[in-house]
Each structure stands twice: as structure tokens, then as C-alpha cells.
Amino acid sequence: MTSTTFLHTSDFQWGMTRWFLDSDAQANFDAARLEAVRKIGEIARERGADFIVMAGDIFDHNSLSPRTQGRALEVLAGLGIPVLLLPGNHDPLTADSPFYAAEDIEGVHILRDEEPIALREGLEVVGAPLKSKQAHTDLVAQALRGLEPTAGIRIAVGHGQVEGRSGEADPALIDLTKVESALDEGVIDYLALGDTHSTMQVGGSGRVWFSGAPETTDFHDYYLGKDGGEVDSGNVLCVTVEKTRPTDAQVSVEKIPVGRWLFEALDAEVNSLEEVEDFLATLEAYPDKECTVVKYSLRGTLSLEAMRALEVGLERWEPIFAALYERSSKMDLHLAPSAEEIEHTNITGFAAAALRELMEADNTDAVNLLLRLNAGIPGATRKEKSRA
């Protein structure tokens, strides 16, 4: 019997920036993405892994700053275990590819073509690299073409989708039926995929997986009760394969958390002071706010008191989170002061006359702005980071 244990990861996208992060938060974000890969190396050594396979989008793009590239290569060099890198759509193997510099690191192998790389007798890895930003054919099928069943272990590595996001046919989609036939026949024993940033098993074999990104890159979205977006990132997969004959491979996959960052898109209906307090309590409950980004959409109608409580609470938490901001395209929040609140506004003179005219004209937005300014609510000026 032959066996191997390895780690499967992808989509570090070193060099990624996010518009909603200020310079301090961006620096922490960059450092965390490096640290996640160092942690993967620690796990590999603890588990006695034979190698690490990185299934594409190691870099966010090929035009990296010297600092970003240098620090990334330093992390790869420090892993202390064979590493196989697959070029993806963000970092295709073109003339300006950072992979050429990575080739000089001992133990780092670039999956530059479809030729299998033998790591030892009975263990090899075959890749389906991208050599341009967009594939025009099924690169995994191309890499498997001509390979024969083997009693040894053969791991395939690809980057791309198995299903289209629209109903249109796409020749670049990975044909899962062909992959599962190759698994059944013993041509390959596991397909390590990158591109989807959430950890996900594909098909029914249990041997085709997206590892997901080891650090969060996009939002987990709860809008209107629908759970979507990047739902399960921040992991690495530990894969064990045992095999005696071409068709009897036994594969186990363990998901191990490695990331710290969290991106959440929250949606809430707030029509009372109690509901505002519930929303603010949700923000307070996040444990690692310096590594958490929250964009929020709120719907409802609030009294002056409730709106003031909301604004004060948001002003308290904004500097503590990595980023906390309105999802302005989905905000539908209105101010409707009670008659008693209006009576106690202490607005006099010209402003009082203007308020009466605006209320008679049913100009709600203008009334709200006047009341907010009079009450000292800062919400009218806190829109710098309000995007969808």
C-alpha cells in the first residue's frame, strides 16, 4: 500500500487591497494573509505532510510591489516542506509572472505545464496551469488527457469553476463527469481546486474540493435573510490518500481553520429603540473587531431618540472595527419624530418657521436633516465609506 498526506490551499491573492480598509487596517490585512500561510506550514509539519499544493491565485496580480513579492517569497521559503504552485487567473504564467522568482526557492515547484511532477516513487502531482487571465478550454481535461491508471498516487490540481454562473455554455468550465471518470478509473485520486474562496466539496465522490481562501477575501452576506457570499473561507484542507491498486483509493479530507479575518454584510429592520439596541449588541458581540469588517443595511422608521442612540453607537464602534460602514444602496432608514419630540426640539425663529413649512409640504428628507442637525446627530456627515 502507498499513502500520502498533504495540505490543499489556494487563493491567497497576496497583494490584494480593499477600498474600505484604511492604511492601518490594510497593513494588518496584508500581515494576516502572510501569517495564515505560515500557519499552514506549521500544520503541515505537525501532520507529517509530504507536501503542500497551492491551487492558483497565490498572487492577486502579476504586477506586485517589491515589498509584497519579497515578503511572499520569504514566507514560501520558510515553510520547510515541498510546495507546488499552480498559476491561476489572477497570476497566470505570463512573461511578468512572480512564479519565476519563486522557482529559485528550494523545495518550490511550479506546475508550469501538464507534465506530472514526481515527488517520490509512487507519488506525483499533475497541474492544469493558466497561461493567460482567461482559459478558453477545460484545462483539467487537457491535463488528464493521455494519462493512464496508476497503482501509485496521482494528485491533480486545477483552477476554475465546474458550473457556470449563467446558463450559457462555457468551454473553460471543468467537466466534472470526466473528472469523476478519471477518479473511478484510477487515473487520479484527488482533484485540488482553487478559484472559489469558500471551502466546498464538489460532486459525489468526496475527492474533488475547493479549499477556499485561507483568509477571508469577501463578504458573508445575510441580506434579507438569504445566506450567501463567501460563506466558509479561512480554512486549509488536510488530505490523506491510501491506495494499493488503481481503483481502490481511500481519501479523507479534514478542514482546519487558519484565518482570523471576518467580512460580514448585515441586514436588519429597526423600528424602535429596542431593535436599535439589538443591532448594536450584535456589533458588540464580535470578538476580534480589529480583524472584522462589517457593512450594514438598515430598514425602518425611527424616533429621534432611537436615531440618536443608533448614531452614538455607530460612532463608538467605527474606530474599533477594521471597517464599519453603511451599505448605502440597500439602506432604507427614515426619521419620524413624535409630536412630543418636535415640541422639545427648542427650534425657534426662522428655523421654526422653516420646519413648519417643510412639514406642511411633507418634505420628509429636509425635516429629518433639520431635526438631526438640531439634535446634534452626526449621521448627516458620516458617509465617507458608504458603498454597496
Side-chain angles (χ1 to χ4, degrees):
M1 181 180 72
T2 184
S3 66
T4 187
T5 294
F6 65 95
L7 297 190
H8 167 199
T9 186
S10 68
D11 297 280
F12 310 158
Q13 294 191 221
W14 279 325
M16 170 185 284
T17 58
R18 285 293 184 240
W19 68 264
F20 44 76
L21 297 179
D22 63 21
S23 58
D24 288 341
Q26 182 66 52
N28 291 337
F29 185 63
D30 295 342
R33 303 181 80 70
L34 294 168
E35 187 57 35
V37 179
R38 290 192 187 96
K39 189 171 183 179
I40 288 172
E42 292 173 4
I43 293 169
R45 293 188 291 273
E46 290 169 1
R47 299 300 179 96
D50 293 316
F51 62 96
I52 301 171
V53 63
M54 301 180 175
D57 288 359
I58 286 83
F59 305 101
D60 193 49
H61 46 79
N62 283 350
S63 301
L64 300 171
S65 70
R67 172 173 290 181
T68 297
Q69 180 168 316
R71 289 180 175 177
L73 297 180
E74 181 73 9
V75 169
L76 292 175
L79 293 177
I81 184 172
V83 176
L84 295 103
L85 305 178
L86 181 79
N89 62 297
H90 276 264
D91 51 7
L93 195 62
T94 54
D96 60 346
S97 172
F99 288 115
Y100 295 117
E103 275 188 315
D104 295 332
I105 301 172
E106 184 178 357
V108 172
H109 307 272
I110 311 303
L111 296 166
R112 56 169 54 245
D113 52 36
E114 294 85 22
E115 185 68 25
I117 293 177
L119 297 178
R120 57 172 164 80
E121 186 176 354
L123 175 61
E124 63 183 26
V125 178
V126 59
L130 276 85
K131 299 183 179 180
S132 62
K133 280 192 167 291
Q134 186 172 352
H136 300 286
T137 189
D138 181 348
L139 297 176
V140 170
Q142 181 175 292
L144 300 185
R145 192 176 299 130
L147 294 178
E148 297 295 330
T150 175
I153 293 173
R154 183 183 288 139
I155 306 303
V157 189
H159 189 89
Q161 295 299 309
V162 299
E163 295 179 358
R165 293 192 174 122
S166 67
E168 299 177 5
D170 183 349
L173 291 176
I174 298 166
D175 189 329
L176 188 57
T177 301
K178 290 182 179 179
V179 170
E180 293 187 329
S181 293
L183 291 165
D184 290 340
E185 295 166 8
V187 173
I188 60 171
D189 302 299
Y190 180 86
L191 174 58
L193 288 175
D195 194 37
T196 290
H197 290 193
S198 301
T199 302
M200 183 186 306
Q201 179 185 325
V202 181
S205 68
R207 294 193 277 166
V208 183
W209 283 78
F210 286 102
S211 64
E215 265 296 359
T216 296
T217 61
D218 210 345
F219 287 90
H220 187 184
D221 197 340
Y222 299 97
Y223 184 60
L224 292 178
K226 295 180 180 178
D227 194 11
E230 195 169 301
V231 297
D232 188 17
S233 54
N235 307 304
V236 66
L237 299 179
C238 182
V239 183
T240 298
V241 182
E242 296 179 338
K243 187 177 181 182
T244 54
R245 296 185 304 276
T247 58
D248 72 346
Q250 301 297 311
V251 177
S252 63
V253 180
E254 179 186 0
K255 180 176 71 174
I256 304 172
V258 292
R260 289 189 60 207
W261 279 67
L262 189 64
F263 287 16
E264 301 247 273
L266 299 184
D267 176 73
E269 187 161 345
V270 288
N271 289 292
S272 66
L273 179 59
E274 290 74 21
E275 289 177 338
V276 165
E277 290 172 343
D278 287 344
F279 173 71
L280 294 175
T282 298
L283 296 181
E284 185 174 8
Y286 283 102
D288 296 315
K289 297 178 182 64
E290 72 279 6
C291 297
T292 301
V293 176
V294 173
K295 63 178 179 180
Y296 56 88
S297 51
L298 301 176
R299 294 168 286 108
T301 302
L302 294 176
S303 68
L304 201 57
E305 178 190 18
M307 187 68 81
R308 183 183 293 112
L310 175 64
E311 294 291 350
V312 168
L314 291 171
E315 290 290 338
R316 174 191 176 190
W317 293 121
E318 273 184 356
I320 299 173
F321 279 83
L324 174 64
Y325 64 97
E326 288 184 3
R327 193 178 189 179
S328 58
S329 65
K330 299 186 183 300
M331 287 286 287
D332 189 20
L333 193 61
H334 305 278
L335 178 64
S338 66
E340 183 179 359
E341 286 178 321
I342 292 175
E343 183 179 342
H344 289 84
T345 57
N346 296 320
I347 297 177
T348 59
F350 174 79
L355 176 60
R356 286 193 296 272
E357 290 181 10
L358 292 170
M359 294 181 66
E360 290 171 1
D362 198 26
N363 190 335
T364 305
D365 289 341
V367 170
N368 288 347
L369 178 59
L370 181 58
L371 290 171
R372 289 164 74 94
L373 292 174
N374 180 73
I377 297 176
T381 60
R382 42 185 306 279
K383 305 294 184 182
E384 292 84 356
K385 289 188 175 182
S386 297
R387 300 190 194 176

